Amino acid sequence: MDREAAHGRREWRGWREAAQEALYGPEGFYRRPEGPAGHFRTSVHASPLYAAAVARLLARVDAALDRPAELTFVDMAAGRGELAAGVLAALPGALAARTRVHAVELAGRPAGLDPRIAWSAEPPAGVTGLLFANEWLDNVPVDVAETDTAGVRRRVLVRRDGTERLGEPVTGAEADWLERWWPSPPEPAPHTGTDDTGPHAGTGPAGTGLRAEIGLPRDLAWASAAGSLARGLAVAVDYAHTREARPPFGTLTGFREGRQTRPVPDGRHDLTAHVALDACAGPGALLLSQREALGALGVTGARPPLALATTDPAAYVRSLAWAGEAAELTARGGLGDFGWLLQPVGLADVPLAG
């Protein structure tokens, strides 16, 4: 093979390989000093009510585990440790004293983080407690398949500038995953979108536009993370869809500085795709919306009674602010539509109810 051909082979890669380097390589997006909060706002950043709700869930897991001498909270994809610190701060003193908090993140430990929080690139093994993964799986890189004009599902190849073309047919375990979890639509429906910030900007002309993200690596990543628990509960929270309502044109997109962009694997953009949480779910798992899950944990967005404004104006203003934050966390068409996957490990059921 001549040098030009070899260079061409390196230039065109599947989305999984390209995104892995762009997000987690030495100069990847998640290695940048500003961290994820510099580019987008998650439920963790929206309100401390979120960390308080996770702390209540941890307390319920603790009760289901008969209050072990040592309880562990694992924050997967911890960013700069915001959720880990918020949960630790929200725990009652006696429970906080028994709780060991681990933040799991590839980037280095941020300065000023509470010294009680351990920091590592992998979750601790064999612990008892709650593993919580907020918007982690959507950043586990996956390959993208697109159906060509002959009806064959092919791997989408991409260059560093985001230009795409179709590659080889999808085969083996990945094809099996697609057949089970993201089957082709019965009738081709040509993609007509022209928005250059959408998930298909840069798509080459050889395909029909019908796309799917091959979620097998996420299934395996989730099984490994949940498997790190000896007993307890593993929770994944993410943009999600189910087999009955897969988006026909896929969801791969980019974000930069708070703005949605076309996906470009250059290390300067976040790259994300919604998660097939139903494919990740193991035996006994529960799938809920964030609105349902937070409601069970006491976050409802209900406004305080107007009479409180007369009897205790300061408390009324505080409660009104909390109601606004709770409403954002549970909003339809927004954060409330996120999916929650709750996977019990060594427990009879999901300890969500109070």
Side-chain angles (χ1 to χ4, degrees):
M1 180 182 297
D2 59 33
R3 294 180 63 182
E4 183 177 350
H7 175 73
R9 289 191 62 178
R10 289 194 302 271
E11 183 180 21
W12 291 99
R13 299 182 291 177
W15 265 106
R16 183 183 180 194
E17 181 184 349
Q20 183 68 35
E21 180 178 328
L23 294 176
Y24 305 114
E27 299 179 358
F29 178 84
Y30 281 96
R31 305 279 190 177
R32 297 172 68 89
E34 70 271 19
H39 294 268
F40 52 85
R41 189 165 180 257
T42 71
S43 297
V44 176
H45 309 120
S47 171
L49 292 175
Y50 192 76
V54 176
R56 284 193 289 276
L57 178 58
L58 178 60
R60 294 175 188 180
V61 171
D62 181 53
L65 292 168
D66 296 324
R67 297 176 174 81
E70 181 173 298
L71 183 71
T72 299
F73 174 67
V74 180
D75 179 12
M76 288 291 298
R80 295 301 177 263
E82 298 95 337
L83 180 61
V87 168
L88 188 56
L91 291 175
L95 181 54
R98 286 193 291 112
T99 300
R100 301 293 174 262
V101 179
H102 291 259
V104 180
E105 181 59 70
L106 292 179
R109 182 187 183 94
L113 187 66
D114 191 314
R116 293 175 295 174
I117 299 174
W119 192 271
S120 63
E122 298 288 342
V127 297
T128 298
L130 172 63
L131 180 143
F132 200 90
N134 185 70
E135 294 193 47
W136 168 51
L137 287 173
D138 70 300
N139 289 126
V140 172
V142 293
D143 275 315
V144 177
E146 182 166 343
T147 305
D148 67 15
T149 54
V152 177
R153 301 179 100 172
R154 295 181 175 272
R155 195 178 313 277
V156 176
L157 306 180
V158 63
R159 295 193 305 194
R160 184 178 170 83
D161 65 0
T163 304
E164 295 179 333
R165 75 180 189 191
L166 298 190
E168 72 283 357
V170 178
T171 60
E174 293 177 321
D176 293 341
W177 189 93
L178 287 173
E179 181 65 25
R180 179 179 181 185
W181 292 110
W182 201 322
S184 298
E187 294 290 339
H191 177 60
T192 59
T194 57
D195 179 2
D196 66 2
T197 65
H200 306 290
T203 301
T208 62
L210 295 172
R211 290 164 68 116
E213 288 100 32
I214 306 171
L216 180 59
R218 292 171 172 177
D219 296 0
L220 298 175
W222 178 245
S224 177
S228 69
L229 290 175
R231 291 182 68 222
L233 181 69
V235 179
V237 181
D238 239 308
Y239 300 100
H241 44 62
T242 58
R243 190 180 188 278
E244 295 73 24
R246 302 284 189 229
F249 307 116
T251 63
L252 177 66
T253 192
F255 286 92
R256 186 180 181 192
E257 297 176 354
R259 183 173 59 88
Q260 187 176 8
T261 69
R262 73 185 184 95
V264 180
D266 60 1
R268 297 182 299 165
H269 297 75
D270 184 29
L271 299 170
T272 176
H274 293 198
V275 183
L277 282 180
D278 51 346
C280 297
L286 180 63
L287 288 169
L288 298 173
S289 69
Q290 175 155 297
R291 182 169 47 259
E292 295 169 315
L294 289 183
L297 293 168
V299 181
T300 64
R303 294 171 64 90
L306 190 58
L308 186 62
T310 302
T311 60
D312 192 342
Y316 178 78
V317 171
R318 288 194 302 271
S319 297
L320 195 61
W322 292 337
E325 294 177 5
E328 180 182 2
L329 290 172
T330 58
R332 296 183 185 277
L335 295 175
D337 291 342
F338 271 54
W340 279 47
L341 165 59
L342 301 102
Q343 181 72 58
V345 179
L347 295 175
D349 53 25
V350 174
L352 181 63

